[in-house]
Amino acid sequence: MPTRVLIIGAGWHGLAAAKTYLELFPSINLTIVDQDHAAGGVWSASRCYPGLLADSPPANFDFSDLPMDEELGIEKWADLPAEMVHEYLERYVDRFGLRRCLRLGTRVLGVEREGVGWRVEVENVDVGEGGERKREWLVCDKLIIAAGVNSIPKVPDEVDWKDFAGPVMHSRDVGRKHALLTEEGVKRVTVVGGNKSAVDVVYLCAKAGKEVGWVISPDGYGPCILFEARTKSGTSFASIKLARASLITGPSILNVKGWWYWFLHSGKSWVGSWLLRMVMKVLTKEMMAMYRRNENTMKIAPDLPDIFWSPAAPSIIHDTKFFDLIAEGTQIHVHRATITSLTSHTALLSNNEILPSDALVFATGWTTSHSTIFPPAILPELGFPIPLSEQDPKTEKHWNALDSTSMQSLKTLFPTLANPPKKVQEYDAIHAKKATTTPFRLFRGMVPPTLAARGDRSLVVLGLTLNISIPIMAEVSSLWGIAYLENLPLTSEVEGMLQNKEEMEREVSEVNNMGWLRFRNRAMPYVDGGEVTQWFIDRLVRDLGLSVHRKVLVAEREGCRGLFGWRAWWKEWTEAYVGADYRGLVGEYKRRWGLEGTTFSDL
Ligand SMILES: Cc1cc2nc3c(=O)[nH]c(=O)nc-3n(C[C@H](O)[C@H](O)[C@H](O)COP(=O)(O)OP(=O)(O)OC[C@H]3O[C@@H](n4cnc5c(N)ncnc54)[C@H](O)[C@@H]3O)c2cc1C
């Protein structure tokens, strides 16, 4: 057997990595383990429930080589039910022969070094006949971690809910247990949390005729920003947002060259800076109009009403009837409070209100599991989060110095970010969550600098950059990650960086600090890419030696460049970037580096 590859996670990233590996090395010995009983990750059958819609429309939520609209017979920019996403990913598994690689119902407990590779302890999720779970070690040369950031529920531990008589669940389990919330005997449901998962659960229960007590903490970031999925003329918001012409409004450390950076973000053109502020003000005003219907709707308005400075990625609201229900205030009651204690059928709130409740849902977010599966001693060299209190003083000093230098240079490059409006500073002082762990410190968001610099190419982590183009990111980062793992060609610029730990760490620090400066979410250990994801994807595509102007390529391929290429460039700037723009990426990469016809044993 030439090599053994183990992928943890069968969501978008794990599946893309497996498919790309098999496309490059058809005979490779590859296994994908997942604790779930179906592929799909967040979109596996057990996590979908009736009425749950993806924020992303089909055009922006499919892989390049399996168009979702054609495959499922759905409009490109239609609302997309979660079950369809699951169906799509199942078909992807079958279409590209991934089923034979899947080992489902298998949980990873721990990962240790084994020579130049890794050994991974797994256990069967289901209890066997003897009442025990079977455990074993799997050994691999290359390990890809695609375990997602929405796998391990975060549940507040300060409330004891043992006395509560009704069903209690995290939003992750609503797919499996939604019938317990909507059954006839349940009249009142309490939902805790201000994020999009909470919105979805509140709406599920309200549509089923339940009375919902929606409890949103007055501390922290408050409710998430909700955008209507469509403009008044019915155009999908995503189709506008994903065009380069709108993406350039997002400042990115990965995009500090060229006229647009100079005009909008460098602070050197007052017209550009003013224009950007105006655009953001208009967008914020439009968005806030949804909330300003009455006192009830204002209770779910984001605490920081400025989309440019929002610490949480905006989410999509598909059905504005949700806002009508909030405004009516008869079925959904919003409480800006926390739960302090529970009895068998009530929740007592910090503002002394008492909520009668038959069921309780915690939509309180996620913790990261990546660090818990590795021995603590190797976490620092992997660049994985550790508690701040456990940093060794030398490493802490080293990163403090790097972070302070990169913060300085970022503030020079982006003067607007260096000087947030007063209300943003005030907000930060009250609400900003303090980090309790170090962040992920991975080069290009995937690779531990220490390992890379000593030539140890055995580990890649996928899916740590929160973004709005998940399938594209999954495909591009998979190809980049596999090229790195297998010593396939990357440009000399990035190869040079991969030898140089200082260079990699400098960039890691810049990217992390840019995320913090822009999205103010210091408590998150991974980078919130938000709308600047396209620049991240461009960087990876450039590293692979390929053209970033995908729409120009597509137009050329289809023979519709227009005179002097004007039509191709018009599309490049004004049309939404979608999966189809990356079709044939692996073939293109092989042609670029003369690898066509090469089999694994040649490399
Ligand atoms: C309710 C919800 C709605 C969302 N909507 C959107 C959207 O519309 N658009 C969008 O772009 N993003 C959305 N997201 C973000 C979501 O993270 C991505 O859609 C996407 O699922 C990420 O894919 P992934 O492969 O990185 O991770 P995941 O889909 O989370 O897959 C990770 C897999 O790893 C497995 N795993 C984790 N730990 C272990 C272990 N120890 N052992 C074995 N297996 C393990 C998990 O079981 C899971 O199957 C949403 C997230 C949620 C929670």
Side-chain angles (χ1 to χ4, degrees):
M1 255 165 254
T3 190
R4 289 156 297 170
V5 178
L6 189 78
I7 300 174
I8 305 175
W12 287 99
H13 285 92
L15 296 178
K19 190 252 178 188
T20 309
Y21 238 124
L22 289 172
E23 198 173 346
L24 285 163
F25 308 119
S27 58
I28 205 150
N29 174 9
L30 179 149
T31 305
I32 315 168
V33 289
D34 199 301
Q35 61 199 359
D36 211 316
H37 288 94
V42 163
W43 308 98
S44 92
S46 67
R47 292 181 66 173
C48 301
Y49 55 87
L52 178 65
L53 297 172
D55 276 3
S56 310
N60 174 39
F61 218 36
D62 60 358
F63 285 124
S64 65
D65 36 20
L66 192 65
M68 190 184 273
D69 57 333
E70 290 170 23
E71 190 62 28
L72 301 183
I74 184 171
E75 292 277 318
K76 277 186 193 304
W77 300 99
D79 288 351
L80 178 58
E83 293 95 338
M84 286 185 106
V85 183
H86 174 66
E87 169 68 22
Y88 172 83
L89 289 171
E90 285 287 351
R91 290 192 192 194
Y92 186 80
V93 166
D94 288 326
R95 189 67 53 90
F96 296 105
L98 307 183
R99 197 151 311 269
R100 65 191 158 89
C101 306
L102 281 176
R103 224 180 118 164
L104 298 171
T106 307
R107 180 178 297 125
V108 171
L109 300 175
V111 181
E112 291 176 8
R113 287 255 48 161
E114 168 96 2
V116 292
W118 300 90
R119 63 184 197 130
V120 176
E121 189 181 23
V122 296
E123 75 169 5
N124 283 2
V125 170
D126 300 316
V127 179
E129 275 177 19
E132 298 215 331
R133 292 196 165 94
K134 204 175 124 217
R135 285 191 181 188
E136 67 179 295
W137 288 93
L138 305 175
V139 178
C140 62
D141 301 325
K142 310 288 179 190
L143 179 62
I144 297 184
I145 304 182
V149 296
N150 305 125
S151 293
I152 312 288
K154 183 162 72 187
V155 183
D157 48 15
E158 58 277 6
V159 185
D160 183 357
W161 61 83
K162 280 186 215 77
D163 292 335
F164 190 74
V168 180
M169 65 190 82
H170 185 269
S171 57
R172 185 195 60 176
D173 301 319
V174 174
R176 279 189 298 122
K177 300 182 180 172
H178 59 90
L180 295 176
L181 301 175
T182 53
E183 71 170 317
E184 217 174 301
V186 170
K187 306 283 180 225
R188 292 155 306 199
V189 181
T190 297
V191 179
V192 186
N195 58 27
K196 180 62 190 324
S197 298
V199 173
D200 290 335
V201 177
V202 167
Y203 201 30
L204 167 82
C205 298
K207 275 197 296 188
K210 312 297 171 194
E211 200 172 319
V212 185
W214 186 4
V215 182
I216 303 173
S217 169
D219 306 323
Y221 293 127
C224 64
I225 291 181
L226 292 172
F227 264 104
E228 286 184 35
R230 292 175 194 285
T231 63
K232 288 189 182 74
S233 63
T235 309
S236 163
F237 174 68
S239 71
I240 302 168
K241 185 73 199 153
L242 291 164
R244 272 192 196 270
S246 47
L247 292 172
I248 48 164
T249 57
S252 168
I253 183 61
L254 302 173
N255 184 35
V256 289
K257 287 189 184 138
W259 190 82
W260 282 109
Y261 157 72
W262 173 84
F263 182 60
L264 291 174
H265 304 299
S266 72
K268 290 180 182 143
S269 160
W270 70 264
V271 183
S273 305
W274 175 85
L275 195 67
L276 185 63
R277 258 337 290 142
M278 282 306 112
V279 170
M280 292 302 151
K281 274 193 173 160
V282 169
L283 283 176
T284 303
K285 199 167 156 236
E286 278 293 303
M287 177 201 67
M288 285 304 291
M290 278 200 307
Y291 298 98
R292 292 212 175 97
R293 293 193 200 175
N294 67 17
E295 202 190 321
N296 285 335
T297 43
M298 278 309 285
K299 283 188 194 158
I300 61 157
D303 288 343
L304 183 68
D306 185 321
I307 52 169
F308 187 79
W309 297 100
S310 164
S315 288
I316 299 291
I317 188 93
H318 297 269
D319 188 350
T320 45
K321 281 199 204 97
F322 175 77
F323 277 92
D324 298 336
L325 282 174
I326 303 277
E328 282 163 21
T330 50
Q331 214 185 329
I332 303 175
H333 310 277
V334 181
H335 308 269
R336 293 304 304 270
T338 52
I339 294 186
T340 52
S341 62
L342 292 161
T343 66
S344 65
H345 282 94
T346 59
L348 179 65
L349 305 187
S350 53
N351 58 6
N352 292 330
E353 285 180 280
I354 295 171
L355 290 189
S357 314
D358 303 316
L360 181 60
V361 183
F362 287 106
T364 36
W366 313 92
T367 60
T368 163
S369 63
H370 295 73
S371 293
T372 57
I373 55 176
F374 285 89
I378 66 168
L379 292 176
E381 74 167 13
L382 294 182
F384 279 26
I386 58 168
L388 288 178
S389 55
E390 287 173 21
Q391 291 180 98
D392 89 81
K394 206 171 139 210
T395 316
E396 186 180 357
K397 205 169 151 205
H398 170 69
W399 279 101
N400 283 347
L402 270 178
D403 288 344
S404 129
T405 310
S406 50
M407 212 38 130
Q408 275 313 319
S409 81
L410 289 170
K411 286 182 176 174
T412 312
L413 284 165
F414 300 100
T416 315
L417 293 180
N419 301 299
K422 198 157 167 264
K423 64 176 180 187
V424 174
Q425 294 177 28
E426 285 166 2
Y427 170 91
D428 270 355
I430 301 166
H431 294 276
K433 291 182 194 163
K434 288 216 160 49
T436 54
T437 67
T438 57
F440 277 97
R441 287 168 173 152
L442 301 174
F443 178 59
R444 298 293 199 252
M446 287 185 267
V447 168
T450 307
L451 267 55
R454 63 171 187 244
D456 177 348
R457 294 193 171 196
S458 61
L459 176 74
V460 153
V461 188
L462 299 178
L464 287 182
T465 309
L466 301 194
N467 71 86
I468 53 170
S469 302
I470 291 276
I472 300 176
M473 181 64 119
E475 283 189 71
V476 173
S477 58
S478 290
L479 180 55
W480 193 103
I482 294 164
Y484 163 83
L485 287 173
E486 299 293 344
N487 283 306
L488 299 181
L490 291 166
T491 58
S492 54
E493 188 198 338
V494 69
E495 274 300 347
M497 289 187 84
L498 284 164
Q499 324 287 323
N500 186 332
K501 187 162 169 258
E502 285 72 36
E503 270 292 287
M504 284 187 276
E505 289 185 342
R506 185 191 51 74
E507 191 180 289
V508 167
S509 170
E510 274 183 0
V511 171
N512 280 352
N513 281 295
M514 183 71 194
W516 290 338
L517 211 50
R518 172 77 172 88
F519 297 106
R520 328 200 71 73
N521 206 348
R522 286 173 183 272
M524 285 210 309
Y526 30 78
V527 175
D528 185 340
E531 88 273 24
V532 298
T533 315
Q534 190 56 48
W535 314 121
F536 202 94
I537 293 170
D538 284 359
R539 174 63 61 97
L540 300 182
V541 170
R542 245 184 224 119
D543 289 347
L544 290 161
L546 306 177
S547 169
V548 297
H549 302 299
R550 310 303 306 174
K551 290 203 172 283
V552 173
L553 277 187
V554 173
E556 279 170 359
R557 214 178 292 148
E558 291 171 355
C560 61
R561 286 185 77 241
L563 198 61
F564 303 118
W566 75 269
R567 191 180 289 150
W569 283 98
W570 177 255
K571 282 169 177 278
E572 173 71 17
W573 277 93
T574 59
E575 288 185 8
Y577 251 69
V578 291
D581 298 321
Y582 292 81
R583 192 165 296 159
L585 193 75
V586 174
E588 199 180 315
Y589 169 75
K590 283 169 115 179
R591 280 194 297 285
R592 160 69 177 83
W593 297 101
L595 296 173
E596 297 134 300
T598 312
T599 60
F600 178 72
S601 53
D602 298 322
L603 294 162

